[in-house]
Each structure stands twice: as C-alpha cells, then as structure tokens.
Amino acid sequence: MARRAGGGNDIQWCFSQVKGAVDDDVAEADIISTVEFNHSGELLATGDKGGRVVIFQQEQENKIQSHSRGEYNVYSTFQSHEPEFDYLKSLEIEEKINKIRWLPQKNAAQFLLSTNDKTIKLWKISERDKRPEGYNLKEEDGRYRDPTTVTTLRVPVFRPMDLMVEASPRRIFANAHTYHINSISINSDYETYLSADDLRINLWHLEITDRSFNIVDIKPANMEELTEVITAAEFHPNSCNTFVYSSSKGTIRLCDMRASALCDRHSKLFEEPEDPSNRSFFSEIISSISDVKFSHSGRYMMTRDYLSVKIWDLNMENRPVETYQVHEYLRSKLCSLYENDCIFDKFECCWNGSDSVVMTGSYNNFFRMFDRNTKRDITLEASRENNKPRTVLKPRKVCASGKRKKDEISVDSLDFNKKILHTAWHPKENIIAVATTNNLYIFQDKVN
Amino acid sequence: MECALDAQSLISISLRKIHSSRTQRGGIKLHKNLLVSYVLRNARQLYLSERYAELYRRQQQQQQQQPPHHQHQHQHLAYAAPGMPASAADFGPLQLGGGGDAEAREPAARHQLHQLHQLHQLHLQQQLHQHQHPAPRGCAAAAAAGAPAGGAGALSELPGCAALQPPHGAPHRGQPLEPLQPGPAPLPLPLPPPAALCPRDPRAPTACSAPSAPPGAAPPAAAASPPASPAPASSPGFYRGAYPAPSDFGLHCSSQTTVLDLDTHVVTTVENGYLHQDCCASAHCPCCGQGAPGPGLSSAAGCKRKYYPGQEEEEDDEEDAGELGAEPPGGAPFAPCKRARFEDFCPDSSPDASNISNLISIFGSGFSGLVSRQPDSSEQPPPLNGQLCAKQALASLGAWTRAIVAF
C-alpha cells in the first residue's frame, strides 16, 4: 500500500482533516506543543499546553473505495501532566507537554513517553472491548450480597462491549532534572531512553524510575562562565551507543556511550563556521539550534536554526552537506522579531519516510518542504479556507522586497502570531500532520 | 541588517525581557535568558564603542581649542570624582558636534569619557593578553592608554602601576607612555591623553587597584583577534573580542542576602548583589575593614559554610533554589545574585573567567540595584522602566558586566 514517497513538488498535497476548535480566541491550554506519529503511523499523538495528550487513530482503509486513506479520529484523550508547584524554589512547574515519543509496539497495548519541564511519564494505552458479565455477587443496585446467601458458583463470561481506550501511567520518572527538559529520545534497544535539559542529559531504563545516569553535563563550575545550553538530543536510530545533542551555539556533538561513562567529550563536533558578513546583534540567537533529527537511515541528521534547515552527513563535521533557507526574508526583520519575542520560537523539522524530503514550519501558518533530490521546495499554508477534503493546496510565495506579484504575500503582512512549530510526517505514507496554534491539520498526497 | 533600533533601545528591551522572565510561569528559562544576554553584550559593545569614539572626538576638539593648563585642570576635575553617581552623567543619545554649550557639557562628557575609557582599557587588556605572557596585570594593562591591539609588544614595556598613583596631574604626565602604534589594525583615533589612566581611588576598585590578586573574573585574559579596538561601529570585527570588564565602578555593598546553593550545598552571604570581591579589592573598602584579603577568596564572599541537607535525595540536588527562595517576591531592590563558587575558584583560571559575563546581573547590582540608586529624581522611578535602567546600566558600566546567574 505504500505510495511513492516522491518529492515535495511531484506530489500534490490535499487537505484531509482539521482538528481543534474553530474560534479565533485561542485558549492557552489548547495550544498544541508537540505532534508525533507512532512507528506504524496508525496513531497520531498531540500534546498541548494544558498537559493533555490526544491520540488519533487512523481508520482502517476501505479497500474497495480507497479514494482516500483512512481518516484520523480521536482514539484517546487523557491528562498527562498537571501543574505542580515547587515549594522550595517558589516556582510553578508548567504542565505543558514538551515532547511525546512512542515506543514500538510489543503487544496489544501501546506505550508512549510524555514529558513536561521536569517529569517524564510512561503511559500505557490499552483497549478494552470485552467485559466480564455474570457475577452473582452483587444485588441489582450494586450492593454486595450477603455471602451466606450465595449458594451457587457462577463463572463470569466475557461479553463484547463498546470499545474503551484506557490510558494509565505505568512509570513516572521524576526529580532528575534541575533545568527544563527539552528532549526525550528512546534508544534503539527499546529498553533505555535519554532525557535532556538545558545543561544535562540523563539515561534511564524504562523499568527503573528511581535512578538515572547522567551522561552529559555541560554545567560549568562557575555559572558565570555559561556560554551555551543543550537545546535538543536524540539517539541514533540504529546504533544504541550513539546519540547527538545540539547547543544554543549552533554546534552538534555526537557522543559514544562506550567511550566513557560521562560523555562530556564528544566523538564528533559538527559546526559550520559563521559567515562574518552576516554578523548582527542577533547572530547568537539565530544560530541556536532548535531541533535535531536523525534520518531514518541513520546516515544523516538534520538541524533547524531560526532561518534555515541543515542536513549533515555524520561523516563530515566541518560543514553541512545541504542547507535550505526557510525564510531568509526575515533576516532583515530580526530587530522586530526580537522585540516581539518571535526570534525565540523553536521550530521543529522532520524527515519523510524515505529521507528524500524534509519539512519544517514558518510563520503565517506556512510550512515548507524541501526535496533533497530535485532541490525544489514548496511553501504551503495550513488554513481553514482550504478545508474541503481533497482540495489541493496551492503553493504560496512570500515576496521579500520590490514589486509584489499577484498571489504573493509581502513580508510585512505576514502574521507572526500564526506559527507552525510542530510538524510530523507519517513513517510510511505521504500523510503529514501540521500543528498551528491550536489546530491540527492533516494533509495527504492526492490519490487518483 | 536594517535595524530600527539603536543599541540603547536594544539594551532597554533586553533588560525588560530579562526582568519579565522572572515572573513568567514555569520559572526562568535559562536558554532564552542566555540568548538575551548575548544581545545585551553585543549592543553594549556597540554602544560603548560608539560612545567612546564620539566623546573622544569631542575631547580632542576641546583640547585643540583650549590652552594646555586649562585642559589638565578640567581633567583633574573629572577624574577626581569617578565615584559620582552614574546618573549625573548626562547619558543622552550621542551628541554629534561639539557646538553650543561646550563648557558646561564638558566636565560631564569628560567624566563619561573617563569611565568609558577605563572600561575600554580593560576590554583591550583582555584582547591583548591572549597574545602575551601574563604581564603585570591590572596595572600595566590599565596603563595602556588606549592601546590598540597591535601594540601588544609595547605594552609590557610600560611602567607598571602607573594607575596606582593619585590622579593629580603631574605624575601622570611625567610618565613615559609609549605612543603605541596600531599593528595589524589601523586605529582611527590617536592616543588619548596620558592622564587618562585608571586613577587610584578608594572607591573605584578596578583591576589595577588589586595588584595582589585578580578578582574572580580578572580583566586581563582572553581573547581575541586584534581588531576589536575603538573602531567605529562600521568595523565588522568590533562585536567580537572585547569582553566586558568585570570591574565595578565603585558603589558599595550595603546589605546582605544569604543564598543557599542546593547543588553544592554551600551557603553564601551576598552583599547587595555586588560581588563583594570587587569592592573589597580595595584595601580601603570600609565594609571589609582593614586588611581585607585579596578578592575572590575566603571571606570576600561573606561567610560560607557547607550545608548538609537532611535528605540526600535527588530532589535536593536542585540548582539555585536558595537564591530564588531567598529572593523577596516582587523583585525588591536587594534580591540576591548568585556568587561565584569560591571553592572552585582558581587564580590561574582567570583567563578563562574573562571569557564569560554572558548572564546579566538583574538582581542587585545590575538592575534593581540600579533602580534603588535612583538619582535625585522627583517622581517615583518606575522599576520596570527599561529606558531609565538602560541608561543607568550603561552609565555605571562595570556594574552589570559581571555575569551573575539568576538561576
């Protein structure tokens, strides 16, 4: 059933669904903070600022009338994290879900890790579609019968019931992070995972909650000497001993856990020298890496900084093999973006299943795809205006300066409150999930 | 890059961001504040360079116009009061051209120039120092009057501790200062007058006043490529290199806060947010009493004692809890700032220590401390007036160059 995962321009993207409230008045708790497909693509999880996780499940395709792929419908909703208060520091701990990562499925249940700033939780999502009936221990109204009145032994029988999806927290991994957790990543051994905050990375075993091992610590002895923080971390998809972490200075370090217990010394350092002609007040901010993702093959990794997406070959440290400008027209607007805090937005990026196309978000509810083979790129918009199913999305264009052509949008009319920070690509199909502030859009390639 | 904001507004905006981050939900975001501090540093470097260049130009004009003896008197006046409250210096936007009421403006301008100059010296020291063996620290470096980086070799020949002499005229002029020639980077400005040295003042504990030991973040150290000299803003390299000097321009500690660092279990007593070592660098610092030890070590930080929490759980291993806990809510003026960890302090590490100062002290000295030192302004100073604080921040140059972490 796998469609040709072709280039971003060869396929035509169509609107499929949109989830979330329609009104413009966005409740803060509804702001989507993370989006993640599971390993099969059948499930799509979102986390929001209110600490909730919503899981969508793809309908089984109707093989006869397969004019579109199955729709995603709500499968489970649960409150993953609650706001907490750290009395010692007089700090409130936000319940916002920073990341969700799925575990590969081993049995009938699904497992995922969700994290807020301080605590990681392992959730089990299981279905219940049968229930035991036929007990003779209770009265009609539910009160237990007097045991002396029970004279027969009746074995209950499982009868079908309406599907119920239950989410239960199986492990809670707490108290290991002083700073705000920004990443979690499950190892390819499916037994361990890492969690990264601004200054440290810890290694956990999924079964053990009262202990974790610190594998990276970049906290300087004197905090006055702090010059960079960890911004993202991920395990290699195939090598269970390898992981990378990115920094606010635009560097990526690859570490091998076999080398030493504390991986403070990197095995590889990926850094591109700064172009001095582009130096500005904000150079440090825009070079800070907001996301790092390995390709599915494990040969490449992709990093996202404020203005660009870079693809690195793990065998070459001194510069990326490909660089794509996401919204270079913003370079002259950095002052205003600094004033309104948009320059601190952390955009994520993702690969398609075959590692041939990469995608990332931008402002005005635009998102961008870059085809690595054809070197073409496309800009699309997630908007309710196109919300008839199977409507093909029209490519958008931003006019940087000069004469604005028809259908182009000038930089000054971009809405910087409408930002797409989180996107996800189905691991096997050309289905993408794009999160605007409080809505989740699902697009598919056009099926004839 | 087209930028609608000048350096000063950027500084105000940045300070406002840092301040408001303290009250944001979820606690202070280390990453964002680190980035903001980079912007602050960049803007400040630009501002200082521009300011310095401008004031220097004006002073040069002034010198050419006035007879020499008169000029020295003026300078004497200016230097005799380096501890003047910063606000007395009229830090308006750069005033181009020296026309109009030059006489009235000049003392203030010279005072600014002096302060800027001092700070600039220390910047330059740091740049130069990387290519030199550690010359006699504060003194020689500070005596390098406006030395461009290229004069590296010449620096070490300067008479040491010129700065230790009182700023009263003759001794300065008598000193054989090298007319340092720019090396690789041609300087647009000629050498500043010889009297523009770091004066010895009991309340101006710059690096040169502590010949015995360097402060925790001693100026002479690190960096950089030469061309971070007083070049005009158009020079591409000027952002880099010059790291802020850690000196404090002489305002005293007067109140205490006790900070518990749960990470290291160290209790630190903080004096009004100024790093005590700065004040105590001077033997005349009254609050330390006589024979204060060299800065950075032992009691300079106030009393320190090891604190052993009752439970040895991971949740005790939390950072800076005591600091934030001790902080009075609402950002009162004497909120604590984190101190350097003196048990980790090593004098030899100061070349690295200067490679820092990224996190701005928004407590005490840097920000609300400035607010508390309001000049004789009649109206209630708005605490979050970024504009006002920015001016003061710039004026009391050393105060917030220290990288104090608020986390």
Side-chain angles (χ1 to χ4, degrees):
Chain A
M1 275 303 320
R3 313 276 169 178
R4 171 183 58 93
N9 267 1
D10 293 335
I11 54 178
Q12 290 184 298
W13 289 97
C14 309
F15 173 87
S16 174
Q17 295 171 273
V18 58
K19 308 284 187 190
V22 186
D23 30 274
D24 286 331
D25 205 15
V26 180
E28 178 139 350
D30 293 337
I31 295 175
I32 297 174
S33 52
T34 184
V35 181
E36 186 83 356
F37 278 100
N38 77 336
H39 291 254
S40 66
E42 184 204 355
L43 298 176
L44 175 61
T46 62
D48 63 23
K49 252 188 147 185
R52 289 167 302 198
V53 171
V54 180
I55 302 177
F56 302 91
Q57 183 188 41
Q58 192 180 26
E59 272 176 13
Q60 291 308 308
E61 276 187 48
N62 188 335
K63 292 203 173 21
I64 300 171
Q65 297 175 299
S66 59
H67 51 261
S68 73
R69 295 188 190 79
E71 280 198 342
Y72 284 85
N73 298 317
V74 177
Y75 178 65
S76 172
T77 304
F78 57 93
Q79 185 77 32
S80 171
H81 287 72
E82 299 273 3
E84 290 171 47
F85 197 79
D86 181 337
Y87 292 97
L88 202 53
K89 294 194 195 179
S90 298
L91 280 185
E92 201 178 350
I93 299 171
E94 277 192 288
E95 67 277 27
K96 170 168 79 89
I97 307 295
N98 292 334
K99 283 287 175 347
I100 290 175
R101 291 286 183 261
W102 288 93
L103 266 71
Q105 191 173 12
K106 285 194 282 196
N107 51 34
Q110 303 276 358
F111 288 86
L112 61 80
L113 284 175
S114 69
T115 183
N116 69 348
D117 284 339
K118 296 288 185 189
T119 304
I120 306 138
K121 296 188 183 181
L122 176 69
W123 288 89
K124 175 180 177 184
I125 296 105
S126 48
E127 295 182 358
R128 190 193 295 269
D129 59 358
K130 300 185 225 343
R131 88 170 138 232
E133 289 177 4
Y135 290 100
N136 63 343
L137 299 174
K138 289 187 190 175
E139 302 284 5
E140 295 286 331
D141 56 5
R143 280 181 306 134
Y144 277 101
R145 283 170 64 179
D146 179 0
T148 57
T149 65
V150 178
T151 55
T152 61
L153 176 69
R154 181 119 55 95
V155 177
V157 177
F158 275 96
R159 294 255 148 75
M161 59 177 259
D162 290 338
L163 178 66
M164 198 167 74
V165 181
E166 299 170 322
S168 57
R170 306 302 287 178
R171 305 273 186 276
I172 297 182
F173 306 92
N175 298 324
H177 285 281
T178 307
Y179 300 94
H180 297 140
I181 296 176
N182 52 57
S183 314
I184 48 176
S185 174
I186 299 175
N187 203 346
S188 48
D189 63 9
Y190 302 144
E191 286 186 351
T192 56
Y193 74 95
L194 63 76
S195 58
D197 66 25
D198 290 323
L199 296 179
R200 300 189 176 106
I201 301 180
N202 292 336
L203 181 71
W204 302 83
H205 192 283
L206 283 164
E207 300 289 327
I208 300 171
T209 59
D210 62 353
R211 222 181 316 157
S212 79
F213 293 98
N214 176 247
I215 52 177
V216 172
D217 187 342
I218 65 166
K219 185 177 181 211
N222 184 353
M223 273 297 267
E224 294 178 11
E225 296 172 25
L226 181 73
T227 56
E228 63 181 336
V229 297
I230 297 171
T231 53
E234 193 177 56
F235 265 118
H236 191 276
N238 305 322
S239 305
C240 58
N241 53 281
T242 306
F243 66 94
V244 294
Y245 67 93
S246 60
S247 84
S248 55
K249 273 193 167 171
T251 64
I252 308 102
R253 287 174 174 79
L254 184 140
C255 299
D256 186 333
M257 294 196 292
R258 298 171 300 189
S260 71
L262 186 62
C263 302
D264 273 355
R265 291 173 59 197
H266 52 263
S267 301
K268 296 195 185 191
L269 173 68
F270 298 85
E271 185 175 16
E272 184 177 29
E274 188 191 348
D275 180 4
S277 62
N278 275 336
R279 184 103 186 111
S280 75
F281 288 121
F282 310 105
S283 295
E284 287 85 2
I285 302 187
I286 63 172
S287 63
S288 173
I289 292 177
S290 53
D291 193 19
V292 64
K293 291 264 171 47
F294 275 106
S295 64
H296 292 92
S297 62
R299 164 102 189 265
Y300 298 97
M301 66 178 175
M302 163 167 56
T303 58
R304 175 72 156 100
D305 51 67
Y306 190 65
L307 296 179
S308 68
V309 163
K310 295 181 182 174
I311 312 255
W312 303 78
D313 185 325
L314 290 192
N315 299 317
M316 186 161 79
E317 298 171 55
N318 58 352
R319 61 178 176 79
V321 288
E322 293 153 39
T323 303
Y324 301 103
Q325 299 301 332
V326 180
H327 36 218
E328 181 70 14
Y329 46 79
L330 294 184
R331 193 179 287 273
S332 55
K333 306 284 175 200
L334 293 179
C335 264
S336 358
L337 294 168
Y338 179 71
E339 276 187 279
N340 63 17
D341 269 1
C342 283
I343 205 174
F344 300 105
D345 288 334
K346 297 192 184 166
F347 291 94
E348 293 176 10
C349 52
C350 62
W351 299 85
N352 73 340
S354 61
D355 298 338
S356 59
V357 184
V358 297
M359 170 167 66
T360 188
S362 178
Y363 292 104
N364 209 67
N365 281 349
F366 287 171
F367 58 99
R368 304 260 282 138
M369 290 185 193
F370 302 94
D371 188 324
R372 300 177 62 211
N373 299 325
T374 65
K375 300 299 181 206
R376 287 196 297 220
D377 60 86
I378 189 171
T379 306
L380 299 171
E381 182 179 0
S383 140
R384 284 194 180 260
E385 287 170 9
N386 311 321
N387 64 353
K388 281 198 312 205
R390 296 193 290 285
T391 312
V392 176
L393 296 180
K394 198 175 65 166
R396 310 304 306 247
K397 192 140 164 53
V398 177
C399 160
S401 59
K403 204 154 155 28
R404 186 176 76 88
K405 299 197 192 71
K406 180 168 158 332
D407 283 348
E408 284 187 355
I409 298 185
S410 77
V411 182
D412 298 309
S413 53
L414 292 174
D415 186 344
F416 290 98
N417 291 321
K418 294 187 178 168
K419 52 191 88 168
I420 291 180
L421 304 175
H422 312 285
T423 58
W425 203 309
H426 190 290
K428 301 183 173 65
E429 315 254 348
N430 279 331
I431 303 175
I432 55 176
V434 170
T436 59
T437 308
N438 65 332
N439 285 328
L440 183 72
Y441 287 78
I442 299 173
F443 301 106
Q444 304 178 1
D445 66 345
K446 191 171 167 69
V447 179
N448 291 316
Chain B
M1 181 199 81
E2 140 217 329
C3 184
L5 303 172
D6 64 347
Q8 198 168 351
S9 335
L10 261 186
I11 290 172
S12 313
I13 293 172
S14 304
L15 290 174
R16 217 178 296 139
K17 283 188 198 295
I18 294 183
H19 191 88
S20 66
S21 80
R22 294 172 52 191
T23 51
Q24 271 169 10
R25 209 170 157 244
I28 296 176
K29 303 212 170 3
L30 186 61
H31 183 200
K32 180 175 176 185
N33 281 278
L34 181 65
L35 295 178
V36 171
S37 73
Y38 274 113
V39 174
L40 258 176
R41 185 195 66 173
N42 292 338
R44 186 172 162 281
Q45 284 172 359
L46 170 61
Y47 183 89
L48 289 177
S49 306
E50 286 177 347
R51 195 74 181 156
Y52 177 76
E54 169 54 28
L55 290 172
Y56 184 69
R57 265 196 293 277
R58 271 200 285 154
Q59 189 174 45
Q60 282 302 95
Q61 289 171 2
Q62 189 69 15
Q63 280 179 7
Q64 284 156 13
Q65 289 160 17
Q66 292 182 358
H69 72 274
H70 204 222
Q71 168 191 344
H72 289 309
Q73 275 181 8
H74 276 278
Q75 288 175 344
H76 166 73
L77 273 176
Y79 300 146
M84 231 157 71
S87 58
D90 181 23
F91 254 69
L94 286 181
Q95 297 158 27
L96 298 170
D101 204 3
E103 280 290 332
R105 267 192 269 144
E106 273 318 305
R110 253 188 234 104
H111 169 66
Q112 297 167 29
L113 173 62
H114 165 67
Q115 282 192 316
L116 272 172
H117 193 78
Q118 282 186 305
L119 187 63
H120 199 73
Q121 305 300 343
L122 296 164
H123 282 205
L124 292 170
Q125 292 166 31
Q126 295 165 16
Q127 298 155 31
L128 292 165
H129 209 63
Q130 194 171 46
H131 301 291
Q132 287 176 302
H133 60 277
R137 283 176 166 173
C139 311
L155 253 195
S156 46
E157 302 169 55
L158 285 171
C161 300
L164 288 179
Q165 298 183 15
H168 297 292
H172 286 271
R173 287 199 303 281
Q175 301 198 352
L177 281 176
E178 301 279 350
L180 296 163
Q181 296 302 318
L187 247 201
L189 302 172
L191 204 59
L197 291 176
C198 164
R200 175 66 167 163
D201 182 277
R203 291 181 298 119
T206 56
C208 49
S209 64
S212 55
S225 44
S229 47
S234 56
S235 157
F238 82 96
Y239 293 102
R240 294 189 259 225
Y243 289 93
S247 66
D248 188 341
F249 279 82
L251 288 151
H252 259 329
C253 31
S254 59
S255 87
Q256 277 191 357
T257 318
T258 301
V259 173
L260 164 66
D261 182 347
L262 284 188
D263 211 34
T264 58
H265 304 147
V266 168
V267 175
T268 312
T269 304
V270 181
E271 305 284 319
N272 190 21
Y274 290 99
L275 282 190
H276 202 96
Q277 61 204 26
D278 287 344
C279 301
C280 296
S282 159
H284 296 270
C285 173
C287 58
C288 295
Q290 292 300 312
L297 299 172
S298 63
S299 62
C303 26
K304 301 177 66 63
R305 53 186 188 273
K306 212 66 168 146
Y307 171 76
Y308 294 96
Q311 309 161 330
E312 289 294 327
E313 285 181 1
E314 278 173 336
E315 62 192 36
D316 282 340
D317 184 26
E318 287 192 341
E319 193 57 29
D320 311 306
E323 172 183 69
L324 292 169
E327 170 190 79
F334 300 119
C337 67
K338 185 158 166 94
R339 301 295 299 272
R341 298 204 205 158
F342 293 103
E343 66 268 26
D344 293 333
F345 174 79
C346 165
D348 297 332
S349 72
S350 47
D352 296 324
S354 73
N355 200 7
I356 55 174
S357 297
N358 283 322
L359 293 180
I360 300 298
S361 154
I362 66 170
F363 303 116
S365 64
F367 193 86
S368 47
L370 293 172
V371 174
S372 67
R373 277 199 332 269
Q374 285 295 323
D376 43 302
S377 64
S378 44
E379 68 270 82
Q380 173 75 20
L384 292 182
N385 184 342
Q387 186 69 10
L388 184 60
C389 291
K391 286 187 177 181
Q392 291 194 319
L394 289 165
S396 61
L397 296 164
W400 54 277
T401 60
R402 173 85 54 187
I404 305 295
V405 64
F407 314 118

